[in-house]
Amino acid sequence: MNLCNQREIKELLGRHGFRFSKSMGQNFLIEPWVPRQTAESSGADAGIGVLEVGPGIGPLTEQLAKLAEKVVSVELDKSLLPVLAETMADYPNVEIVPGDIMKTDIAQLCREKLPGLPVVACANLPYNITTPAITALLQAGCFQAVTVMIQREVALRICAKPGTADYGAFTVLCQYYADSELLYDVPPSCFYPAPKVVSSVIRMTVRGKPPVEVPDPDLFFRVVRAAFGQRRKTLLNGLHTMLGKSVEKEALRQAILACNLTENIRGERLSFAEFAELSQKLHEMQRN
């Protein structure tokens, strides 16, 4: 069966009485180069385990299965389980796990289903869970790389540079955990039904440790969120809004100046290293 042939897809779904769910963001691939190239970019290989999110009818799953030792695919839509049982019948190294990835202990699932294997994550992510799903995959701490197909606008945010319109708190979070690269775009015509936006495939190579050590990661991310929480505010005012109860405004000003930054600078101008240095100063201040 050609899992990217639109006629065969319609026949397959018709046999199983499947109906598309808008709430689940279901768009199935109909261009074979996309799942093939995505699988090849993921790091899947002999001796490698793969966790996939949202396999749909399985075109990416099939390509991953041809490369990897084992593929574990988490599917939320129960109506797709009999479809996947048919399409993955020839791939004994594929295991479909019913469930919601956002309610799953990802690290535990990998330990149970992919024991002893180096693991990568790969997915054509539903648009409605893009940011929380990527965050969960990165924070699981068990992947060598995370390769996902997402909205182009989110891919641009992840890869953005300081001072650009796309640069934000999510950019910094992703940079903390991984080195990201936008690989290629996927136009709406590659999907059935066609979405209204262009997609992109991005590979995030997970770091062994953050690019700059921070003594208090929770404080670091609070500082980042404060910097981008209200873009019209200066960094000083943004920090004071979030941290004002625990740190005086003058102390915040002195911490900013100690990092060789101006007190009127806006958060989107700071690099990852500057956020790390500022959180370090604030950490020292709170200890004293």
Side-chain angles (χ1 to χ4, degrees):
M1 180 183 299
N2 182 350
L3 296 181
C4 288
N5 180 285
Q6 191 167 347
R7 180 182 58 79
E8 294 189 36
I9 291 173
K10 290 180 178 180
E11 291 177 355
L12 170 70
L13 298 179
R15 286 200 303 275
H16 291 276
F18 173 82
R19 294 181 181 275
F20 284 96
S21 168
K22 288 186 178 180
S23 65
M24 292 187 185
Q26 292 168 328
N27 304 91
F28 298 155
L29 288 163
I30 55 174
E31 284 291 343
W33 69 267
V34 181
R36 182 176 62 251
Q37 196 163 320
T38 303
E40 291 171 353
S41 301
S42 71
D45 206 346
I48 298 290
V50 180
L51 177 71
E52 184 191 18
V53 180
I57 63 172
L60 178 56
T61 321
E62 179 180 51
Q63 296 302 318
L64 291 167
K66 293 177 180 179
L67 300 173
E69 188 77 17
K70 183 178 179 181
V71 180
V72 173
S73 297
V74 180
E75 178 53 60
L76 175 61
D77 190 345
K78 293 181 180 179
S79 68
L80 283 171
L81 299 180
V83 177
L84 286 162
E86 177 180 341
T87 60
M88 294 297 107
D90 294 334
Y91 297 97
N93 62 334
V94 172
E95 181 175 355
I96 306 299
V97 176
D100 183 346
I101 195 65
M102 300 311 305
K103 298 178 181 179
T104 299
D105 184 330
I106 295 173
Q108 180 63 26
L109 177 66
C110 290
R111 286 192 295 268
E112 290 178 358
K113 302 295 185 179
L114 301 165
L117 294 176
V119 185
V120 299
C122 189
N124 173 11
L125 283 177
Y127 294 152
N128 58 339
I129 64 164
T130 297
T131 299
I134 290 175
T135 301
L137 291 170
L138 290 175
Q139 292 182 338
C142 56
F143 301 110
Q144 293 184 341
V146 175
T147 303
V148 289
M149 189 186 310
I150 56 179
Q151 307 100 302
R152 178 172 169 75
E153 65 181 69
V154 180
L156 292 175
R157 282 168 50 201
I158 292 172
C159 298
K161 302 297 183 184
T164 63
D166 291 318
Y167 187 67
F170 190 53
T171 312
V172 179
L173 181 143
C174 292
Q175 289 180 1
Y176 183 86
Y177 290 105
D179 181 22
S180 303
E181 178 184 7
L182 196 158
L183 300 180
Y184 49 88
D185 294 335
V186 183
S189 59
C190 292
F191 298 90
Y192 166 68
K196 296 180 181 180
V197 298
V198 174
S199 301
S200 296
V201 174
I202 185 171
R203 180 174 56 225
M204 311 176 75
T205 303
V206 177
R207 304 182 191 276
K209 59 180 182 179
V212 179
E213 293 291 339
V214 293
D216 185 344
D218 288 339
L219 176 60
F220 171 78
F221 287 118
R222 286 175 66 201
V223 169
V224 171
R225 289 194 298 271
F228 292 103
Q230 293 176 290
R231 283 182 177 262
R232 293 184 179 181
K233 285 190 174 183
T234 63
L235 174 63
L236 174 59
N237 288 333
L239 288 173
H240 187 248
T241 298
M242 180 168 286
L243 305 175
K245 292 182 179 180
S246 58
V247 185
E248 294 294 330
K249 191 169 186 177
E250 180 57 30
L252 291 172
R253 178 183 287 108
Q254 293 304 317
I256 292 171
L257 295 175
C259 296
N260 295 315
L261 302 170
T262 67
E263 63 178 81
N264 293 322
I265 195 171
R266 297 188 186 279
E268 62 262 28
R269 306 299 306 181
L270 272 66
S271 67
F272 186 97
E274 288 169 331
F275 275 121
E277 183 181 7
L278 180 57
S279 70
Q280 169 80 38
K281 298 291 184 185
L282 293 174
H283 176 73
E284 294 170 357
M285 186 182 299
Q286 290 182 341
R287 292 181 64 184
N288 298 329

